Amino acid sequence: MKVIGLGDNVVDKYIHTKTLYPGGNCVNFAVHAKKLGTPSAYMGVFGDDEAGNFVMETLTNIGIDISHCSQYEGENGCSEVNLVNGDRVFLHWNEGGIAKERPIDLTLEDLTYLNEFDLIHSSCYSLLNESELAKLRNLNPLLSFDFSQEEIYRTEDYLKTVCPYIDFAQFSGEHMSEEEIKELIKKATNGGTKYVLVTRGTVGSVFFDGKSYFKGLAELISPVDTMGCGDSFVTAFILFLLENGWTKTNRPLPHVIEEGLKVGAKYSAKNCLIEGAFGVSKKYQET
């Protein structure tokens, strides 16, 4: 079994400590998969600045395959972050940097490579247009997609451009009511996806398998840093489903889903006890 993150990478710049942390939804997925013992890869676009080189070096050192990535002259994806009571507060994002100008354009060679994996994970920040997602639909791997928490990524129009091509949708819904969550799940499944996960921070999580709703409880701790908390949960949950027989043609069994939600919560809580998305950092100086 092996998985790949396809899309965004970013450097989180912590203003309060003058520290750089590599991350991004798809990078985090690949790193957490590797930490959990699953061979993983990342495919995306890097800038040629310090931030881009830092993420590339980090992934290489961890043992993640980046052989199908591209690097261009320009600024890498970067976000400025502050930390307040252990919770992250985003100050600025450069909208992906050079990846916005040079988005992923999947070639036949890329598609052949991607077809070797069991699951491809992407996100709303990956700048993949509808035509690129359509190229992935007929491949063998499952396709999971993180819609994050912004309202612009859960409108009817946006869901209709993504959901027909994906198998698994994940949303952050920490402040949503159960009624709102069920309505969002209905919109996503009506759009075409089969499975939907909504993470709710300390409240827990809700998963819909096309037939039934499953609720997961969070493991409550005093966090050091919640950066990458949701990504770590999603990765552990997805891997558990895959390890227990989930494919495009085999549905995950109810007891597997229930146990997977527990596994995700336990791993996510553990990840909140380290700094940054996965504990790698580098000090920087203002220029």
Side-chain angles (χ1 to χ4, degrees):
M1 185 177 83
K2 60 180 181 177
V3 296
I4 185 168
L6 172 66
D8 62 311
N9 79 85
V10 70
V11 165
D12 296 310
K13 187 176 184 180
Y14 278 34
I15 305 300
H16 57 296
T17 59
K18 299 293 187 291
T19 306
L20 302 176
Y21 293 93
N25 184 277
C26 297
V27 161
N28 293 345
F29 174 81
V31 170
H32 287 303
K34 182 69 175 179
K35 290 177 70 174
L36 286 163
T38 298
S40 64
Y42 169 72
M43 182 187 292
V45 176
F46 294 106
D48 66 349
D49 57 358
E50 179 185 17
N53 289 327
F54 179 40
V55 182
M56 293 177 70
E57 178 184 342
T58 297
L59 295 179
T60 300
N61 290 341
I62 292 173
I64 293 171
D65 178 10
I66 60 170
S67 61
H68 283 68
C69 291
S70 300
Q71 186 176 29
Y72 301 109
E73 181 179 355
E75 187 178 46
N76 198 76
C78 181
S79 63
E80 295 182 353
V81 182
N82 225 334
L83 207 63
V84 179
N85 297 324
D87 220 354
R88 64 192 186 279
V89 178
F90 288 94
L91 305 177
H92 173 70
W93 179 50
N94 68 355
E95 299 184 350
I98 190 63
K100 186 176 182 180
E101 301 174 31
R102 304 288 297 270
I104 294 172
D105 182 11
L106 295 170
T107 65
L108 181 58
E109 180 184 355
D110 292 331
L111 295 173
T112 301
Y113 170 70
L114 289 168
N115 207 33
E116 299 173 1
F117 293 87
D118 294 279
L119 181 137
I120 301 167
H121 179 77
S122 194
S123 79
C124 57
Y125 301 119
S126 296
L127 305 174
L128 287 175
N129 61 39
E130 185 178 357
S131 63
E132 298 306 300
L133 288 171
K135 294 177 184 178
L136 302 172
R137 176 70 277 184
N138 292 323
L139 298 184
N140 293 326
L142 288 154
L143 179 58
S144 64
F145 194 94
D146 194 315
F147 290 84
S148 192
Q149 60 188 2
E150 286 90 342
E151 288 300 321
I152 59 172
Y153 299 123
R154 51 190 66 185
T155 64
E156 294 279 0
D157 288 343
Y158 187 78
L159 292 174
K160 287 178 180 177
T161 65
V162 176
C163 288
Y165 306 110
I166 65 175
D167 302 286
F168 178 104
Q170 190 268 319
F171 299 88
S172 297
E174 186 170 358
H175 302 296
M176 297 176 67
S177 68
E178 289 196 14
E179 183 178 342
E180 290 171 330
I181 287 173
K182 288 187 176 182
E183 182 60 30
L184 178 59
I185 289 174
K186 182 179 179 181
K187 286 166 61 177
T189 53
N190 284 347
T193 191
K194 294 180 181 179
Y195 308 96
V196 184
L197 173 70
V198 180
T199 55
R200 306 179 69 192
T202 57
V203 181
S205 58
V206 176
F207 180 71
F208 183 67
D209 71 347
K211 296 181 179 180
S212 304
Y213 292 93
F214 299 82
K215 290 184 179 181
L217 299 176
E219 289 205 5
L220 301 180
I221 58 167
S222 296
V224 172
D225 186 356
T226 58
M227 181 70 75
C229 178
D231 295 341
S232 60
F233 179 95
V234 171
T235 306
F237 178 62
I238 283 175
L239 292 183
F240 190 83
L241 297 188
L242 291 173
E243 289 164 359
N244 287 276
W246 180 39
T247 66
K248 278 192 173 181
T249 55
N250 292 324
R251 301 173 61 85
L253 297 173
H255 76 274
V256 171
I257 295 169
E258 291 170 352
E259 185 62 25
L261 292 173
K262 295 177 183 177
V263 169
K266 183 176 182 179
Y267 182 71
S268 178
K270 182 180 177 181
N271 194 68
C272 289
L273 297 177
I274 62 175
E275 294 184 346
F278 45 83
V280 176
S281 64
K282 176 182 179 180
K283 291 290 185 179
Y284 72 90
Q285 292 183 344
E286 296 286 2
T287 56

